[in-house]
Amino acid sequence: MKKLLILFACLPLLGACTQTEPVSGNRAAAIVAEIHNPRSKYVVVASHRGDWRNYPENSIAAIESVIGMGVDIMELDLKLTKDSVLVLCHDRTIDRTTSGKGRVCDITYDSIRRCVLKTGHGVKTTHRMPTLREALEVCKDRIVVNVDQGYEYYDLVLAVTEELGVTDQILIKGKRSTDAVAAKFAEHPRNMMYMPIIDILKPQGRALFAEYQEKGIAPLAYEVCWNKYTPEVKECMDKVVAGGSKLWVNSLWASLCGGLDDDAAFGGDPAEVYGKLVDMGATMIQTDRPELLISYLRSRGLHN
C-alpha cells in the first residue's frame, strides 16, 4: 500500500515529479515553475474568460489582451460541437455570446463560425468563436491555460495539447474523486496538471477534501470556494497551505469568496479585498479585474 501511495504521488495529479527547469524565453514555463513551487510568495493571476470587459469573452482578442497585461493564466470553457470540434464557450447555447441561437452540441462548427461574438453588453462584433486548437496556438509558450468547464472532454483536450506540444502548460480542474482522476491519468503516458475544486461549505466539497486528506494526497493546488468565511473555511485553507499545495481562490463574485470580490476591490480599497485573500494564504487568484489585481500585487512585490 505504501508503494502504491508513492506511485500515486508521482502522477501529474500533483504535477511535481517530472517538472523541468523553465526554457529561456518561455514565459509559460516560468509560470508553471511558480505553480509547482509551494514556497513561492509570487501570486499567480488567472483571468476569467480573458479580458471580457473589453472584448468578447473566450475570444482570441480577449486572450491576447490579458497576455499583454502580464496575466499568468487564461481561464477558458469548452463545449463540443455536433461534429466534435472543441470550441471556447461557457454556456450550453450560443444565444448569449453570439449572434446565433441553439445548443452547441446541436450545431456544426461551420455554422457556429458564421455567427459573430457579442460583447458582455450584447453588442455584435466581428470576432468569431475560436476552437481550442486556435486558442492554444496563441497561448503556446506565452501563458498557462486553465480549462474550467471541460474535464468531461479530457481525452479530446489532451490529444490537442499533445499535438501542439503544450500539455505541460495546461491546468484542468474538476470535482472527481481521487480514484477517478488517478484512473483517467493512468490511461495516458503524459497528462495535464490537475486541480480539485472544493466547495468547502457544501457536503460534496467537504467529502472530497476529506478524501484527499485521509489518503495523504497533496495535489498541486486546490480551488477553494466559500460564501462565508467561517472557522471551517479557515481550517481548510490552513491545511491546504500546510500540506504543500497552492491555494486558488476566486474573487469573481461574493458567493465564491465570502464577499472579498472584484467589485468590492474596484469600489473600495483593493488592500481590503485582495490583501485579505493573500493574507489567508492565497497564491493563485482568479479575477474579472486582472489589471486592478496585478497593480495591487505589484505594489506588494508579489507579482512581476
Side-chain angles (χ1 to χ4, degrees):
M1 178 60 71
K2 186 174 181 182
K3 214 176 265 189
L4 178 62
L5 289 175
I6 292 172
L7 287 171
F8 186 57
C10 288
L11 288 173
L13 176 66
L14 304 186
C17 298
T18 60
Q19 189 61 27
T20 57
E21 290 298 313
V23 177
S24 178
N26 185 331
R27 184 169 181 270
I31 297 165
V32 170
E34 288 290 351
I35 295 173
H36 282 79
N37 182 3
R39 295 175 296 280
S40 175
K41 299 300 181 183
Y42 181 92
V43 178
V44 176
V45 174
S47 189
H48 184 227
R49 305 182 203 175
D51 183 11
W52 63 262
R53 293 185 185 278
N54 295 303
Y55 301 95
E57 66 181 57
N58 281 320
S59 66
I60 295 298
I63 296 172
E64 288 283 10
S65 182
V66 296
I67 289 174
M69 290 179 195
V71 167
D72 304 298
I73 299 177
M74 164 66 197
E75 183 269 354
L76 53 80
D77 309 285
L78 298 177
K79 293 294 180 289
L80 193 65
T81 66
K82 184 178 181 179
D83 50 344
S84 300
V85 177
L86 286 169
V87 292
L88 271 60
C89 186
H90 176 272
D91 303 351
R92 293 189 178 186
T93 74
I94 63 173
D95 300 22
R96 177 180 64 86
T97 57
T98 80
S99 58
K101 290 188 179 298
R103 297 190 306 171
V104 178
C105 63
D106 295 331
I107 309 171
T108 63
Y109 173 64
D110 284 345
S111 296
I112 286 179
R113 288 291 287 187
R114 295 190 191 104
C115 305
V116 295
L117 292 174
K118 294 190 290 189
T119 66
H121 296 97
V123 178
K124 294 179 182 178
T125 69
T126 59
H127 301 283
R128 309 283 172 170
M129 184 181 293
T131 64
L132 173 64
R133 179 181 299 276
E134 290 171 335
L136 294 184
E137 286 173 343
V138 170
C139 294
K140 184 174 182 177
D141 298 339
R142 304 171 70 198
I143 190 169
V144 169
V145 174
N146 169 224
V147 177
D148 183 6
Q149 294 187 20
Y151 184 85
E152 64 265 42
Y153 312 124
Y154 189 91
D155 295 344
L156 293 174
V157 175
L158 185 62
V160 176
T161 67
E162 284 289 89
E163 187 177 334
L164 295 177
V166 298
T167 300
D168 289 345
Q169 70 183 76
I170 312 299
L171 172 65
I172 195 165
K173 57 190 176 185
K175 298 181 179 181
R176 272 70 173 181
S177 69
T178 57
D179 288 345
V181 175
K184 171 55 64 178
F185 277 48
E187 296 174 9
H188 304 284
R190 263 163 52 93
N191 287 281
M192 298 171 273
M193 296 179 283
Y194 179 80
M195 176 175 67
I197 302 171
I198 305 295
D199 294 306
I200 192 59
L201 296 181
K202 297 179 181 179
Q204 182 182 6
R206 286 195 295 270
L208 184 57
F209 186 61
E211 182 181 329
Y212 275 89
Q213 295 292 296
E214 289 165 4
K215 290 185 176 181
I217 299 171
L220 181 64
Y222 285 97
E223 176 180 316
V224 179
C225 307
W226 73 97
N227 60 8
K228 183 179 181 181
Y229 189 63
T230 66
E232 187 174 15
V233 174
K234 182 180 186 305
E235 181 183 13
C236 170
M237 294 198 292
D238 287 347
K239 285 182 177 179
V240 167
V241 175
S245 298
K246 289 283 191 179
L247 174 60
W248 170 303
V249 299
N250 301 297
S251 60
L252 309 176
W253 46 80
S255 62
L256 292 174
C257 54
L260 297 173
D261 59 286
D262 292 316
D263 285 347
F266 183 75
D269 181 0
E272 290 299 310
V273 177
Y274 300 138
K276 287 183 178 179
L277 293 176
V278 171
D279 292 343
M280 288 175 181
T283 45
M284 302 177 79
I285 301 176
Q286 181 177 201
T287 179
D288 275 326
R289 294 190 179 274
E291 288 181 299
L292 181 64
L293 175 56
I294 288 174
S295 176
Y296 170 73
L297 293 174
R298 287 177 177 170
S299 74
R300 286 187 57 176
L302 298 175
H303 197 275
N304 53 38

